[in-house]
Amino acid sequence: MDEQEFDVVVAGSGGAGLLAAARAASAGLCVVVLERSDVLGGTTAVSGGMLWVPDSSVMRRAGLPDSPQDALRYLERVAEGTVERDRLEHYVRTSPEMLDWLEEHTGARFFPIDRPDYHSGWPGAVDVGRCVDNEPFDTAPFPGLLERVRRGPQFPPLTYDERHRARFTGPDESLLAQRRERGVLTVGAALAAALVAACDALGVTFRTRTRATALTFTDGSVSGVSCEDGRTFAGRAVVLANGGFEWDPASGAFLGDTPVVPVSPPVNTGDGLRMALSAGAAVERMNQAWWVPALRGVPEEYDGAPLTRHLVGERCLPGSIMVDRHARRFVNEAVNYHDITRVLFNFDADGHHPAHLPVWLVFDEKFRTSYSVGPASPRAPAPSWLTSAATPALLAEAIGLDPAELTKTVDRFSAHARAGTDPDFHRGETSHDRYYGDPRVPGNPCLGELVTPPFHAVQVVPGALGTKGGPVTSTSGEVLTPSGEAVPGLYACGNVSAGVFGPGYPGSGGTLGPALTAGYAVGTALAVALG
């Protein structure tokens, strides 16, 4: 059996694991990162790459006001009373410190964007600055780095902010060409690349195509991992950072009977969860995920598995609505993607069936030729995965809804849109709603009539960017048992562990912010414990 010895063994190469590795290595520890696929970066590398960090130096450089008190007031409501105050205080205190460490010790650079908090009308929320975007990362000075980092097929080499600002005019093609030629990465791939480069400089060892599947123990303490191929890696500490369990076929045992479509790389199959459970870890939030509404039926693949697009801007733009099994609107379509998906799980006790599913995004030809829908460009013919018909009634027949009811719903919404109001669900009335609206539309940028045939529909299903449940950890990332004792030698961070925001989601970057903050806390704790 091939065994290698290190101070720290990190399973998983997403942002949390990479930052834990870099922070530990910066203290002189010998660190190895094990990645089951052939590229590094995990879910982080295919994400939008933004971080939700309150009261940061990045905000202060831009002259943007914030305070720990406001952030904490806001987070207490986001967490719905399910998270201890000291854990939220730890996040508010430590996440800005994490951001400073990244800018000081890696090539990652950040800037604030005008992305409102997801509950922009709540006390303590802000409209600008807590969401920070990544500056483009040039891989040219790091030979071979570009090929080692995972990239998301849905993101061109633009920052999230650049992409958002060019969504109606189209991107600068010459800029895209320059960045592609030079190997400039953006969004989550930029963050992952900066962390990999920092780990390289700090002497971190990487092993790809190395799937950690079991913990090893010595005298009751975790002392390493064994891998699918028979290799073992010994360590004074093990960090589980190998993602959630959304791709595990058995995920329904925790997430429920309603099928959930994973919106992440297909390597997140619960390896870390099973390893933590074998060590006696307590778990919580196992029925929760970073929920997103997802498009069903779009024929794309990534890493040999279905690639699912989640629905963000399309449902906020003027000229689209979401309707349920009753052919009626049932929610403000422009609320944040996490909370709108929670509504999809509602149950009708009288009918003994889902209250809303199946759900459809419905729009007209003007919308289709004005805005992208998933991968479909407005300049291209209607794709085959759309259902189309000459009238709302015929469209309803084609997708199995009540024709009269859908006609009534479309007519009602269109009449209100012409008046610039949505008395039914108040779409477009908050700064968060309006962020993805069309500012070229006078009045309410989220409202527009559906009157131009043909009419189109695509099914919307519950999706998950990643799961939120897993082993319970201390604020230092130690994995805890049901009695609250630390499992000796075992740490966890990122989506493999229980989320710090409970069932809520504070804003864009609310997944990566906690993941990296936890990775930073783990690396700091290891530097103290093992240094």
Side-chain angles (χ1 to χ4, degrees), residues 210-232:
T210 303
R211 182 182 183 182
T213 54
L215 299 171
T216 58
F217 298 85
T218 301
D219 298 328
S221 296
V222 173
S223 56
V225 303
S226 60
C227 299
E228 189 176 45
D229 60 8
R231 285 180 292 169
T232 62

Side-chain angles (χ1 to χ4, degrees), residues 48-389:
M50 293 170 291
L51 310 180
W52 191 88
V53 179
D55 194 36
S56 68
S57 60
V58 175
M59 292 183 71
R60 287 191 288 277
R61 286 200 304 260
L64 297 170
D66 199 6
S67 72
Q69 294 76 22
D70 279 345
L72 190 59
R73 182 180 305 115
Y74 177 68
L75 282 179
E76 284 185 313
R77 187 165 176 184
V78 167
E80 301 175 20
T82 66
V83 178
E84 298 86 350
R85 183 182 174 90
D86 66 317
R87 293 190 69 87
L88 299 177
E89 289 174 338
H90 178 267
Y91 184 80
V92 170
R93 180 175 64 252
T94 308
S95 58
E97 183 181 312
M98 173 272 297
L99 205 61
D100 289 342
W101 195 92
L102 279 173
E103 292 205 316
E104 182 177 352
H105 295 276
T106 79
R109 296 293 180 269
F110 304 94
F111 63 97
I113 64 174
D114 59 346
R115 182 78 170 90
D117 286 341
Y118 280 173
H119 307 281
S120 53
W122 288 4
V126 302
D127 279 353
V128 183
R130 287 179 180 164
C131 175
V132 298
D133 198 353
N134 289 271
E135 296 282 3
F137 185 83
D138 188 355
T139 65
F142 307 94
L145 178 61
L146 181 65
E147 293 74 26
R148 295 167 60 204
V149 175
R150 182 183 290 279
R151 277 165 279 173
Q154 71 274 40
F155 290 120
L158 297 170
T159 68
Y160 192 92
D161 192 54
E162 288 172 340
R163 184 168 172 256
H164 181 71
R165 296 182 187 282
R167 66 196 191 279
F168 304 128
T169 60
D172 181 339
E173 293 296 338
S174 63
L175 175 64
L176 294 181
Q178 291 170 14
R179 287 180 176 173
R180 289 188 176 112
E181 181 179 0
R182 188 169 174 85
V184 173
L185 297 177
T186 57
V187 293
L191 179 58
L195 285 166
V196 171
C199 284
D200 287 341
L202 290 164
V204 172
T205 299
F206 286 100
R207 294 287 183 265
T208 55
R209 300 183 183 178
T210 303
R211 182 182 183 182
T213 54
L215 299 171
T216 58
F217 298 85
T218 301
D219 298 328
S221 296
V222 173
S223 56
V225 303
S226 60
C227 299
E228 189 176 45
D229 60 8
R231 285 180 292 169
T232 62
F233 293 82
R236 297 160 64 195
V238 170
V239 180
L240 300 176
N242 40 355
F245 57 88
E246 64 271 14
W247 279 93
D248 191 319
S251 63
F254 297 116
L255 297 181
D257 294 328
T258 301
V260 174
V261 177
V263 185
S264 63
V267 293
N268 299 327
T269 56
D271 293 346
L273 173 62
R274 284 185 286 271
M275 293 163 74
L277 290 172
S278 75
V283 295
E284 65 181 11
R285 312 201 190 288
M286 297 300 294
N287 64 338
Q288 296 175 15
W290 302 105
W291 304 116
V292 290
L295 293 175
R296 182 177 180 182
V298 182
E300 295 183 284
E301 285 194 354
Y302 181 70
D303 272 11
L307 169 67
T308 300
R309 304 266 183 162
H310 63 287
L311 200 63
V312 182
E314 296 94 329
R315 53 193 170 77
C316 310
L317 289 162
S320 71
I321 57 175
M322 285 174 62
V323 299
D324 64 7
R325 64 186 299 133
H326 307 292
R328 303 178 194 129
R329 293 178 68 217
F330 59 97
V331 71
N332 170 8
E333 294 92 342
V335 300
N336 72 82
Y337 55 70
H338 178 72
D339 287 349
I340 199 172
T341 310
R342 294 172 74 182
V343 178
L344 299 185
F345 294 105
N346 288 356
F347 185 74
D348 182 340
D350 292 328
H352 199 74
H353 54 56
H356 303 300
L357 294 173
V359 164
W360 302 83
L361 181 75
V362 173
F363 49 96
D364 70 355
E365 182 69 1
K366 179 182 178 182
F367 183 95
R368 190 196 71 76
T369 56
S370 300
Y371 311 115
S372 293
V373 178
S377 166
R379 293 171 291 279
S384 60
W385 44 265
L386 290 181
T387 301
S388 305

